Amino acid sequence: MKSPWPKGKKLVHLDLKGAPPRVEYLHKLIELFSQLGADGLLVEYEDMFPYEGGVKLLQATAQPAYSREEVLSMKEFAKSKGMEVIPLVQTFGHMEFVLKHRPMWSLREMAHCVGTLSPHKEEGFRLVMEMLRQVVELHPGLNTLHIGADEVYMLGEGEESKLWLASPGRTVEQLFLSHVTKVAQAIKEAWPHMTIIMWDDMMRGMSQDTLKASGLVGLVQPMLWDYTPNLDVDRTVSLLEKYCSAGMSELWAASSFKGSTSVYTCVPSTQRHVDNHVQWLKVAASLSAAVNLQGIAITGWQRFDHLSVLCELMHVALPSLAACLQTLDHGQFSAEAKSRVTERLGIPSVEVEAIGRTSADDSLFPGRKLAELTVELNSLLNSEDIRFFENNMYVRGWFSPYQQQRKMVSPLITMQIHSQASTYLATLQEKAEAVREEMVRLYPDSTAQEWMEEHVSPVVAPLQRITEDIGACLNQMVP
């Protein structure tokens, strides 16, 4: 019987394209990841990397990108905790943070698809290599690089691609493989020692023969991602065995501890993510000896992509991460694994929604106070009485648009509606301000602003509108 998780690295994914932690908080997180048993970080910088020269425009504008000194200090701090840093730089799909810029529009595969790079333009290839060069240079001693290449939407739909595909025997699969192979070969030429990881999803439907003929064998290590709690074990094992039979025996898994439920989820379910890891353990135990599983990346997406809204932020997902790592260590989410999580983080439950408000400090659980406040506010925002206030019996019965237009309202009942709406508003605004004050300590001001506008404003606005409308109506009806 194999050990709970085969010998291999356990990487925690840091997705910095949304809510990038302030440097002090980032260091606290890295220290916690190390204490929880992680071996390394998979760092997806996106626009938070301090690009220079001709690619400086890729830097974030909503908040300052990390400085060169901050990137170096993060890498050195991780190293001091025994953790490897593996940068993830997208080189084909999900290049929204690059291709959204007007000077880069011509490099898109399709004008309306902001994420996919055209594989035909030499300028696009040079751009990718310059991004990689700057990232590698700012990570002295780097020996592993992740080149992304997942979800290359609309590939083959551009005019140049259609011309390329018009030649007999050419396929979209070959078009994908040719670009990735070109990038991987260029990396090996520049840095011969570099191990290259890439996402596997664009290769899932490919035959062994197609993969063998691609030139990728021996160049890259595919990372198969599946974040679902009901992951299909047999299908996943079959895919990994296919890659192995094609000559790519060094493989990775990718699970999830947050950011894979819905695009706007605010608070994660630990059990959902633990279930995903239990399934991955079954996969690992079912693989043939020929498959050399290098490790697992436990992903934690802050956004589904660069242009989507924020999903669960890091501070509310730490119990989930701890539980997922303990599940891998114990081979199941046993009572012992659960108690390790609650003791390590100083919490009464592994579900962040159940930890309650305490006076405990953040030393065991960095960001605990913000997690508690976030859960509390999220519960209020999702309460039916508040979220659907405009649809309650009194508003629909005594303050409908028809009644408002004709000033046919009952002052007594509308005053009661006004009083209730005002109470909800005051409570929400007080809780939201507490969250905002704590959030700006851990994340940029722009993150707090975005989070408030996405989660709080849509609930507060109807309450404000109804109190104003009632006030205006009563002014004309009550002496």
Side-chain angles (χ1 to χ4, degrees), residues 145 147 177 180-181 183-185 187-188 194-199 203 211 214-223 243 247-252:
L145 189 60
I147 60 168
L177 292 167
V180 175
T181 303
V183 170
Q185 286 173 338
I187 291 170
K188 285 289 189 182
M194 195 70 74
T195 296
I196 304 169
I197 302 172
M198 64 176 283
W199 297 119
M203 301 187 290
L211 291 169
S214 69
L216 270 185
V217 174
L219 272 182
V220 300
Q221 298 178 355
M223 180 178 275
Y243 295 142
M248 294 187 284
S249 60
E250 294 180 318
L251 296 158
W252 292 77

PDB file of all heavy atoms in Angstrom, residues 145 147 177 180-181 183-185 187-188 194-199 203 211 214-223 243 247-252:
ATOM      1  N   LEU A 145       9.893  26.199 -13.869  1.00  0.00           N
ATOM      2  CA  LEU A 145       9.056  27.276 -14.392  1.00  0.00           C
ATOM      3  C   LEU A 145       7.755  26.667 -14.913  1.00  0.00           C
ATOM      4  O   LEU A 145       7.767  25.621 -15.562  1.00  0.00           O
ATOM      5  CB  LEU A 145       9.813  27.957 -15.538  1.00  0.00           C
ATOM      6  CG  LEU A 145       9.303  29.246 -16.156  1.00  0.00           C
ATOM      7  CD1 LEU A 145       9.208  30.360 -15.113  1.00  0.00           C
ATOM      8  CD2 LEU A 145      10.247  29.671 -17.284  1.00  0.00           C
ATOM      9  N   ILE A 147       4.605  27.296 -17.409  1.00  0.00           N
ATOM     10  CA  ILE A 147       4.292  28.171 -18.555  1.00  0.00           C
ATOM     11  C   ILE A 147       2.790  28.234 -18.860  1.00  0.00           C
ATOM     12  O   ILE A 147       2.389  28.703 -19.925  1.00  0.00           O
ATOM     13  CB  ILE A 147       5.072  27.752 -19.813  1.00  0.00           C
ATOM     14  CG1 ILE A 147       4.729  26.307 -20.224  1.00  0.00           C
ATOM     15  CG2 ILE A 147       6.579  27.918 -19.598  1.00  0.00           C
ATOM     16  CD1 ILE A 147       5.238  25.918 -21.610  1.00  0.00           C
ATOM     17  N   LEU A 177       0.205  22.559 -30.097  1.00  0.00           N
ATOM     18  CA  LEU A 177       1.469  21.910 -29.737  1.00  0.00           C
ATOM     19  C   LEU A 177       2.676  22.629 -30.338  1.00  0.00           C
ATOM     20  O   LEU A 177       3.733  22.706 -29.709  1.00  0.00           O
ATOM     21  CB  LEU A 177       1.439  20.448 -30.182  1.00  0.00           C
ATOM     22  CG  LEU A 177       0.455  19.552 -29.421  1.00  0.00           C
ATOM     23  CD1 LEU A 177       0.272  18.213 -30.138  1.00  0.00           C
ATOM     24  CD2 LEU A 177       0.912  19.324 -27.987  1.00  0.00           C
ATOM     25  N   VAL A 180       3.482  25.748 -28.098  1.00  0.00           N
ATOM     26  CA  VAL A 180       4.005  25.369 -26.783  1.00  0.00           C
ATOM     27  C   VAL A 180       5.403  24.760 -26.919  1.00  0.00           C
ATOM     28  O   VAL A 180       6.300  25.042 -26.114  1.00  0.00           O
ATOM     29  CB  VAL A 180       3.042  24.385 -26.075  1.00  0.00           C
ATOM     30  CG1 VAL A 180       3.645  23.898 -24.768  1.00  0.00           C
ATOM     31  CG2 VAL A 180       1.701  25.054 -25.798  1.00  0.00           C
ATOM     32  N   THR A 181       5.602  23.946 -27.949  1.00  0.00           N
ATOM     33  CA  THR A 181       6.919  23.340 -28.181  1.00  0.00           C
ATOM     34  C   THR A 181       7.962  24.412 -28.488  1.00  0.00           C
ATOM     35  O   THR A 181       9.090  24.355 -27.983  1.00  0.00           O
ATOM     36  CB  THR A 181       6.843  22.321 -29.335  1.00  0.00           C
ATOM     37  OG1 THR A 181       5.863  21.335 -29.028  1.00  0.00           O
ATOM     38  CG2 THR A 181       8.183  21.636 -29.550  1.00  0.00           C
ATOM     39  N   VAL A 183       7.950  27.526 -27.500  1.00  0.00           N
ATOM     40  CA  VAL A 183       8.254  28.237 -26.245  1.00  0.00           C
ATOM     41  C   VAL A 183       9.146  27.377 -25.354  1.00  0.00           C
ATOM     42  O   VAL A 183      10.156  27.856 -24.812  1.00  0.00           O
ATOM     43  CB  VAL A 183       6.949  28.626 -25.497  1.00  0.00           C
ATOM     44  CG1 VAL A 183       7.260  29.148 -24.092  1.00  0.00           C
ATOM     45  CG2 VAL A 183       6.165  29.671 -26.288  1.00  0.00           C
ATOM     46  N   ALA A 184       8.792  26.104 -25.198  1.00  0.00           N
ATOM     47  CA  ALA A 184       9.557  25.206 -24.322  1.00  0.00           C
ATOM     48  C   ALA A 184      10.986  25.022 -24.835  1.00  0.00           C
ATOM     49  O   ALA A 184      11.948  25.015 -24.044  1.00  0.00           O
ATOM     50  CB  ALA A 184       8.849  23.863 -24.216  1.00  0.00           C
ATOM     51  N   GLN A 185      11.138  24.877 -26.151  1.00  0.00           N
ATOM     52  CA  GLN A 185      12.487  24.725 -26.717  1.00  0.00           C
ATOM     53  C   GLN A 185      13.326  25.981 -26.494  1.00  0.00           C
ATOM     54  O   GLN A 185      14.525  25.896 -26.171  1.00  0.00           O
ATOM     55  CB  GLN A 185      12.396  24.412 -28.217  1.00  0.00           C
ATOM     56  CG  GLN A 185      11.943  22.991 -28.506  1.00  0.00           C
ATOM     57  CD  GLN A 185      11.701  22.740 -29.983  1.00  0.00           C
ATOM     58  OE1 GLN A 185      11.481  23.667 -30.768  1.00  0.00           O
ATOM     59  NE2 GLN A 185      11.704  21.467 -30.374  1.00  0.00           N
ATOM     60  N   ILE A 187      13.000  28.086 -24.040  1.00  0.00           N
ATOM     61  CA  ILE A 187      13.360  28.122 -22.616  1.00  0.00           C
ATOM     62  C   ILE A 187      14.559  27.215 -22.366  1.00  0.00           C
ATOM     63  O   ILE A 187      15.514  27.594 -21.670  1.00  0.00           O
ATOM     64  CB  ILE A 187      12.156  27.690 -21.739  1.00  0.00           C
ATOM     65  CG1 ILE A 187      11.051  28.756 -21.784  1.00  0.00           C
ATOM     66  CG2 ILE A 187      12.592  27.448 -20.285  1.00  0.00           C
ATOM     67  CD1 ILE A 187       9.739  28.323 -21.162  1.00  0.00           C
ATOM     68  N   LYS A 188      14.533  26.019 -22.941  1.00  0.00           N
ATOM     69  CA  LYS A 188      15.636  25.069 -22.752  1.00  0.00           C
ATOM     70  C   LYS A 188      16.935  25.600 -23.367  1.00  0.00           C
ATOM     71  O   LYS A 188      18.031  25.344 -22.841  1.00  0.00           O
ATOM     72  CB  LYS A 188      15.284  23.712 -23.380  1.00  0.00           C
ATOM     73  CG  LYS A 188      14.280  22.905 -22.571  1.00  0.00           C
ATOM     74  CD  LYS A 188      14.899  22.374 -21.277  1.00  0.00           C
ATOM     75  CE  LYS A 188      13.981  21.390 -20.579  1.00  0.00           C
ATOM     76  NZ  LYS A 188      14.549  20.915 -19.302  1.00  0.00           N
ATOM     77  N   MET A 194      16.454  24.152 -16.859  1.00  0.00           N
ATOM     78  CA  MET A 194      15.113  24.484 -16.385  1.00  0.00           C
ATOM     79  C   MET A 194      14.116  23.335 -16.587  1.00  0.00           C
ATOM     80  O   MET A 194      13.988  22.786 -17.670  1.00  0.00           O
ATOM     81  CB  MET A 194      14.586  25.732 -17.106  1.00  0.00           C
ATOM     82  CG  MET A 194      13.379  26.371 -16.443  1.00  0.00           C
ATOM     83  SD  MET A 194      13.785  27.182 -14.865  1.00  0.00           S
ATOM     84  CE  MET A 194      14.654  28.645 -15.452  1.00  0.00           C
ATOM     85  N   THR A 195      13.398  22.980 -15.517  1.00  0.00           N
ATOM     86  CA  THR A 195      12.261  22.062 -15.607  1.00  0.00           C
ATOM     87  C   THR A 195      11.031  22.887 -15.969  1.00  0.00           C
ATOM     88  O   THR A 195      10.796  23.949 -15.366  1.00  0.00           O
ATOM     89  CB  THR A 195      12.030  21.344 -14.263  1.00  0.00           C
ATOM     90  OG1 THR A 195      13.179  20.528 -13.979  1.00  0.00           O
ATOM     91  CG2 THR A 195      10.783  20.476 -14.300  1.00  0.00           C
ATOM     92  N   ILE A 196      10.267  22.427 -16.951  1.00  0.00           N
ATOM     93  CA  ILE A 196       9.109  23.189 -17.432  1.00  0.00           C
ATOM     94  C   ILE A 196       7.824  22.414 -17.135  1.00  0.00           C
ATOM     95  O   ILE A 196       7.676  21.260 -17.530  1.00  0.00           O
ATOM     96  CB  ILE A 196       9.207  23.456 -18.947  1.00  0.00           C
ATOM     97  CG1 ILE A 196      10.522  24.162 -19.285  1.00  0.00           C
ATOM     98  CG2 ILE A 196       8.010  24.275 -19.430  1.00  0.00           C
ATOM     99  CD1 ILE A 196      10.818  24.222 -20.776  1.00  0.00           C
ATOM    100  N   ILE A 197       6.904  23.071 -16.420  1.00  0.00           N
ATOM    101  CA  ILE A 197       5.582  22.505 -16.130  1.00  0.00           C
ATOM    102  C   ILE A 197       4.560  23.250 -16.989  1.00  0.00           C
ATOM    103  O   ILE A 197       4.719  24.449 -17.260  1.00  0.00           O
ATOM    104  CB  ILE A 197       5.223  22.675 -14.640  1.00  0.00           C
ATOM    105  CG1 ILE A 197       6.280  22.018 -13.732  1.00  0.00           C
ATOM    106  CG2 ILE A 197       3.845  22.105 -14.333  1.00  0.00           C
ATOM    107  CD1 ILE A 197       6.089  22.326 -12.247  1.00  0.00           C
ATOM    108  N   MET A 198       3.515  22.560 -17.416  1.00  0.00           N
ATOM    109  CA  MET A 198       2.408  23.234 -18.112  1.00  0.00           C
ATOM    110  C   MET A 198       1.090  22.564 -17.726  1.00  0.00           C
ATOM    111  O   MET A 198       1.056  21.398 -17.327  1.00  0.00           O
ATOM    112  CB  MET A 198       2.594  23.173 -19.627  1.00  0.00           C
ATOM    113  CG  MET A 198       2.546  21.770 -20.214  1.00  0.00           C
ATOM    114  SD  MET A 198       2.651  21.743 -22.025  1.00  0.00           S
ATOM    115  CE  MET A 198       0.981  22.226 -22.472  1.00  0.00           C
ATOM    116  N   TRP A 199      -0.006  23.321 -17.831  1.00  0.00           N
ATOM    117  CA  TRP A 199      -1.334  22.751 -17.597  1.00  0.00           C
ATOM    118  C   TRP A 199      -1.642  21.740 -18.700  1.00  0.00           C
ATOM    119  O   TRP A 199      -1.214  21.906 -19.839  1.00  0.00           O
ATOM    120  CB  TRP A 199      -2.404  23.842 -17.579  1.00  0.00           C
ATOM    121  CG  TRP A 199      -2.286  24.857 -16.487  1.00  0.00           C
ATOM    122  CD1 TRP A 199      -2.119  26.200 -16.649  1.00  0.00           C
ATOM    123  CD2 TRP A 199      -2.366  24.637 -15.071  1.00  0.00           C
ATOM    124  NE1 TRP A 199      -2.079  26.836 -15.430  1.00  0.00           N
ATOM    125  CE2 TRP A 199      -2.224  25.897 -14.439  1.00  0.00           C
ATOM    126  CE3 TRP A 199      -2.532  23.499 -14.284  1.00  0.00           C
ATOM    127  CZ2 TRP A 199      -2.242  26.049 -13.058  1.00  0.00           C
ATOM    128  CZ3 TRP A 199      -2.554  23.650 -12.900  1.00  0.00           C
ATOM    129  CH2 TRP A 199      -2.421  24.906 -12.303  1.00  0.00           C
ATOM    130  N   MET A 203      -4.450  19.138 -23.873  1.00  0.00           N
ATOM    131  CA  MET A 203      -3.932  17.883 -24.427  1.00  0.00           C
ATOM    132  C   MET A 203      -4.802  16.676 -24.071  1.00  0.00           C
ATOM    133  O   MET A 203      -4.506  15.562 -24.484  1.00  0.00           O
ATOM    134  CB  MET A 203      -2.507  17.642 -23.919  1.00  0.00           C
ATOM    135  CG  MET A 203      -1.536  18.751 -24.275  1.00  0.00           C
ATOM    136  SD  MET A 203       0.171  18.371 -23.837  1.00  0.00           S
ATOM    137  CE  MET A 203       0.112  18.425 -22.030  1.00  0.00           C
ATOM    138  N   LEU A 211       0.747  13.233 -29.295  1.00  0.00           N
ATOM    139  CA  LEU A 211       1.641  13.750 -28.256  1.00  0.00           C
ATOM    140  C   LEU A 211       3.091  13.333 -28.526  1.00  0.00           C
ATOM    141  O   LEU A 211       4.013  14.145 -28.390  1.00  0.00           O
ATOM    142  CB  LEU A 211       1.190  13.254 -26.876  1.00  0.00           C
ATOM    143  CG  LEU A 211      -0.136  13.828 -26.372  1.00  0.00           C
ATOM    144  CD1 LEU A 211      -0.611  13.073 -25.132  1.00  0.00           C
ATOM    145  CD2 LEU A 211      -0.012  15.313 -26.061  1.00  0.00           C
ATOM    146  N   SER A 214       4.742  15.435 -31.167  1.00  0.00           N
ATOM    147  CA  SER A 214       4.700  16.890 -30.958  1.00  0.00           C
ATOM    148  C   SER A 214       6.059  17.522 -30.680  1.00  0.00           C
ATOM    149  O   SER A 214       6.244  18.723 -30.861  1.00  0.00           O
ATOM    150  CB  SER A 214       3.774  17.205 -29.787  1.00  0.00           C
ATOM    151  OG  SER A 214       4.356  16.741 -28.568  1.00  0.00           O
ATOM    152  N   GLY A 215       6.985  16.725 -30.202  1.00  0.00           N
ATOM    153  CA  GLY A 215       8.268  17.300 -29.790  1.00  0.00           C
ATOM    154  C   GLY A 215       8.264  17.746 -28.338  1.00  0.00           C
ATOM    155  O   GLY A 215       9.274  18.200 -27.812  1.00  0.00           O
ATOM    156  N   LEU A 216       7.113  17.606 -27.664  1.00  0.00           N
ATOM    157  CA  LEU A 216       7.017  18.036 -26.259  1.00  0.00           C
ATOM    158  C   LEU A 216       7.594  17.008 -25.291  1.00  0.00           C
ATOM    159  O   LEU A 216       7.954  17.346 -24.166  1.00  0.00           O
ATOM    160  CB  LEU A 216       5.557  18.283 -25.875  1.00  0.00           C
ATOM    161  CG  LEU A 216       4.983  19.688 -26.079  1.00  0.00           C
ATOM    162  CD1 LEU A 216       3.577  19.744 -25.519  1.00  0.00           C
ATOM    163  CD2 LEU A 216       5.850  20.756 -25.444  1.00  0.00           C
ATOM    164  N   VAL A 217       7.647  15.742 -25.732  1.00  0.00           N
ATOM    165  CA  VAL A 217       8.135  14.678 -24.855  1.00  0.00           C
ATOM    166  C   VAL A 217       9.571  14.979 -24.421  1.00  0.00           C
ATOM    167  O   VAL A 217      10.432  15.279 -25.245  1.00  0.00           O
ATOM    168  CB  VAL A 217       8.072  13.307 -25.565  1.00  0.00           C
ATOM    169  CG1 VAL A 217       8.712  12.227 -24.696  1.00  0.00           C
ATOM    170  CG2 VAL A 217       6.625  12.945 -25.890  1.00  0.00           C
ATOM    171  N   GLY A 218       9.793  14.946 -23.110  1.00  0.00           N
ATOM    172  CA  GLY A 218      11.111  15.259 -22.572  1.00  0.00           C
ATOM    173  C   GLY A 218      11.337  16.744 -22.339  1.00  0.00           C
ATOM    174  O   GLY A 218      12.317  17.139 -21.712  1.00  0.00           O
ATOM    175  N   LEU A 219      10.392  17.565 -22.838  1.00  0.00           N
ATOM    176  CA  LEU A 219      10.522  19.023 -22.668  1.00  0.00           C
ATOM    177  C   LEU A 219       9.704  19.539 -21.498  1.00  0.00           C
ATOM    178  O   LEU A 219      10.129  20.448 -20.791  1.00  0.00           O
ATOM    179  CB  LEU A 219      10.052  19.753 -23.942  1.00  0.00           C
ATOM    180  CG  LEU A 219      11.044  20.010 -25.064  1.00  0.00           C
ATOM    181  CD1 LEU A 219      10.348  20.779 -26.177  1.00  0.00           C
ATOM    182  CD2 LEU A 219      12.271  20.776 -24.569  1.00  0.00           C
ATOM    183  N   VAL A 220       8.484  18.987 -21.319  1.00  0.00           N
ATOM    184  CA  VAL A 220       7.562  19.525 -20.315  1.00  0.00           C
ATOM    185  C   VAL A 220       7.031  18.428 -19.405  1.00  0.00           C
ATOM    186  O   VAL A 220       7.029  17.245 -19.761  1.00  0.00           O
ATOM    187  CB  VAL A 220       6.362  20.252 -20.964  1.00  0.00           C
ATOM    188  CG1 VAL A 220       6.815  21.414 -21.824  1.00  0.00           C
ATOM    189  CG2 VAL A 220       5.505  19.275 -21.772  1.00  0.00           C
ATOM    190  N   GLN A 221       6.561  18.847 -18.241  1.00  0.00           N
ATOM    191  CA  GLN A 221       5.871  17.965 -17.300  1.00  0.00           C
ATOM    192  C   GLN A 221       4.429  18.459 -17.181  1.00  0.00           C
ATOM    193  O   GLN A 221       4.192  19.539 -16.630  1.00  0.00           O
ATOM    194  CB  GLN A 221       6.565  17.994 -15.933  1.00  0.00           C
ATOM    195  CG  GLN A 221       8.000  17.496 -15.975  1.00  0.00           C
ATOM    196  CD  GLN A 221       8.694  17.568 -14.625  1.00  0.00           C
ATOM    197  OE1 GLN A 221       8.149  18.070 -13.642  1.00  0.00           O
ATOM    198  NE2 GLN A 221       9.938  17.083 -14.586  1.00  0.00           N
ATOM    199  N   PRO A 222       3.450  17.715 -17.737  1.00  0.00           N
ATOM    200  CA  PRO A 222       2.055  18.154 -17.646  1.00  0.00           C
ATOM    201  C   PRO A 222       1.550  18.148 -16.198  1.00  0.00           C
ATOM    202  O   PRO A 222       1.896  17.274 -15.405  1.00  0.00           O
ATOM    203  CB  PRO A 222       1.295  17.121 -18.485  1.00  0.00           C
ATOM    204  CG  PRO A 222       2.334  16.516 -19.386  1.00  0.00           C
ATOM    205  CD  PRO A 222       3.595  16.518 -18.578  1.00  0.00           C
ATOM    206  N   MET A 223       0.728  19.144 -15.880  1.00  0.00           N
ATOM    207  CA  MET A 223       0.075  19.229 -14.574  1.00  0.00           C
ATOM    208  C   MET A 223      -1.424  19.116 -14.808  1.00  0.00           C
ATOM    209  O   MET A 223      -2.041  20.013 -15.376  1.00  0.00           O
ATOM    210  CB  MET A 223       0.417  20.557 -13.883  1.00  0.00           C
ATOM    211  CG  MET A 223      -0.214  20.741 -12.518  1.00  0.00           C
ATOM    212  SD  MET A 223       0.249  22.297 -11.702  1.00  0.00           S
ATOM    213  CE  MET A 223       1.801  21.837 -10.911  1.00  0.00           C
ATOM    214  N   TYR A 243      -0.628  10.073 -20.738  1.00  0.00           N
ATOM    215  CA  TYR A 243       0.531  10.956 -20.862  1.00  0.00           C
ATOM    216  C   TYR A 243       1.817  10.164 -20.643  1.00  0.00           C
ATOM    217  O   TYR A 243       2.819  10.353 -21.353  1.00  0.00           O
ATOM    218  CB  TYR A 243       0.452  12.109 -19.851  1.00  0.00           C
ATOM    219  CG  TYR A 243      -0.708  13.063 -20.066  1.00  0.00           C
ATOM    220  CD1 TYR A 243      -1.401  13.612 -18.979  1.00  0.00           C
ATOM    221  CD2 TYR A 243      -1.119  13.430 -21.338  1.00  0.00           C
ATOM    222  CE1 TYR A 243      -2.461  14.492 -19.157  1.00  0.00           C
ATOM    223  CE2 TYR A 243      -2.184  14.304 -21.537  1.00  0.00           C
ATOM    224  CZ  TYR A 243      -2.849  14.829 -20.437  1.00  0.00           C
ATOM    225  OH  TYR A 243      -3.893  15.696 -20.624  1.00  0.00           O
ATOM    226  N   GLY A 247       5.211   9.052 -23.264  1.00  0.00           N
ATOM    227  CA  GLY A 247       6.598   9.411 -22.979  1.00  0.00           C
ATOM    228  C   GLY A 247       6.757  10.514 -21.956  1.00  0.00           C
ATOM    229  O   GLY A 247       7.876  10.873 -21.592  1.00  0.00           O
ATOM    230  N   MET A 248       5.605  11.048 -21.495  1.00  0.00           N
ATOM    231  CA  MET A 248       5.668  12.110 -20.479  1.00  0.00           C
ATOM    232  C   MET A 248       5.340  11.489 -19.123  1.00  0.00           C
ATOM    233  O   MET A 248       4.211  11.577 -18.632  1.00  0.00           O
ATOM    234  CB  MET A 248       4.702  13.240 -20.837  1.00  0.00           C
ATOM    235  CG  MET A 248       5.103  13.967 -22.110  1.00  0.00           C
ATOM    236  SD  MET A 248       4.117  15.439 -22.506  1.00  0.00           S
ATOM    237  CE  MET A 248       2.621  14.704 -23.124  1.00  0.00           C
ATOM    238  N   SER A 249       6.319  10.833 -18.529  1.00  0.00           N
ATOM    239  CA  SER A 249       6.074  10.077 -17.292  1.00  0.00           C
ATOM    240  C   SER A 249       6.172  10.940 -16.046  1.00  0.00           C
ATOM    241  O   SER A 249       5.678  10.564 -14.988  1.00  0.00           O
ATOM    242  CB  SER A 249       7.062   8.923 -17.186  1.00  0.00           C
ATOM    243  OG  SER A 249       8.395   9.408 -17.167  1.00  0.00           O
ATOM    244  N   GLU A 250       6.832  12.101 -16.171  1.00  0.00           N
ATOM    245  CA  GLU A 250       6.946  13.006 -15.014  1.00  0.00           C
ATOM    246  C   GLU A 250       5.757  13.950 -15.033  1.00  0.00           C
ATOM    247  O   GLU A 250       5.658  14.837 -15.876  1.00  0.00           O
ATOM    248  CB  GLU A 250       8.278  13.761 -15.072  1.00  0.00           C
ATOM    249  CG  GLU A 250       9.468  12.814 -14.896  1.00  0.00           C
ATOM    250  CD  GLU A 250      10.802  13.540 -14.951  1.00  0.00           C
ATOM    251  OE1 GLU A 250      10.954  14.439 -15.812  1.00  0.00           O
ATOM    252  OE2 GLU A 250      11.676  13.215 -14.139  1.00  0.00           O
ATOM    253  N   LEU A 251       4.846  13.738 -14.086  1.00  0.00           N
ATOM    254  CA  LEU A 251       3.545  14.402 -14.100  1.00  0.00           C
ATOM    255  C   LEU A 251       3.238  15.046 -12.754  1.00  0.00           C
ATOM    256  O   LEU A 251       3.819  14.685 -11.735  1.00  0.00           O
ATOM    257  CB  LEU A 251       2.460  13.375 -14.440  1.00  0.00           C
ATOM    258  CG  LEU A 251       2.569  12.761 -15.848  1.00  0.00           C
ATOM    259  CD1 LEU A 251       1.835  11.435 -15.917  1.00  0.00           C
ATOM    260  CD2 LEU A 251       2.023  13.734 -16.881  1.00  0.00           C
ATOM    261  N   TRP A 252       2.304  15.999 -12.787  1.00  0.00           N
ATOM    262  CA  TRP A 252       1.866  16.703 -11.578  1.00  0.00           C
ATOM    263  C   TRP A 252       0.345  16.637 -11.474  1.00  0.00           C
ATOM    264  O   TRP A 252      -0.355  16.537 -12.479  1.00  0.00           O
ATOM    265  CB  TRP A 252       2.273  18.175 -11.640  1.00  0.00           C
ATOM    266  CG  TRP A 252       3.745  18.439 -11.560  1.00  0.00           C
ATOM    267  CD1 TRP A 252       4.660  18.285 -12.560  1.00  0.00           C
ATOM    268  CD2 TRP A 252       4.462  18.926 -10.424  1.00  0.00           C
ATOM    269  NE1 TRP A 252       5.908  18.644 -12.119  1.00  0.00           N
ATOM    270  CE2 TRP A 252       5.822  19.044 -10.810  1.00  0.00           C
ATOM    271  CE3 TRP A 252       4.095  19.261  -9.125  1.00  0.00           C
ATOM    272  CZ2 TRP A 252       6.804  19.490  -9.942  1.00  0.00           C
ATOM    273  CZ3 TRP A 252       5.067  19.720  -8.257  1.00  0.00           C
ATOM    274  CH2 TRP A 252       6.410  19.825  -8.660  1.00  0.00           C
TER     275      TRP A 252
END
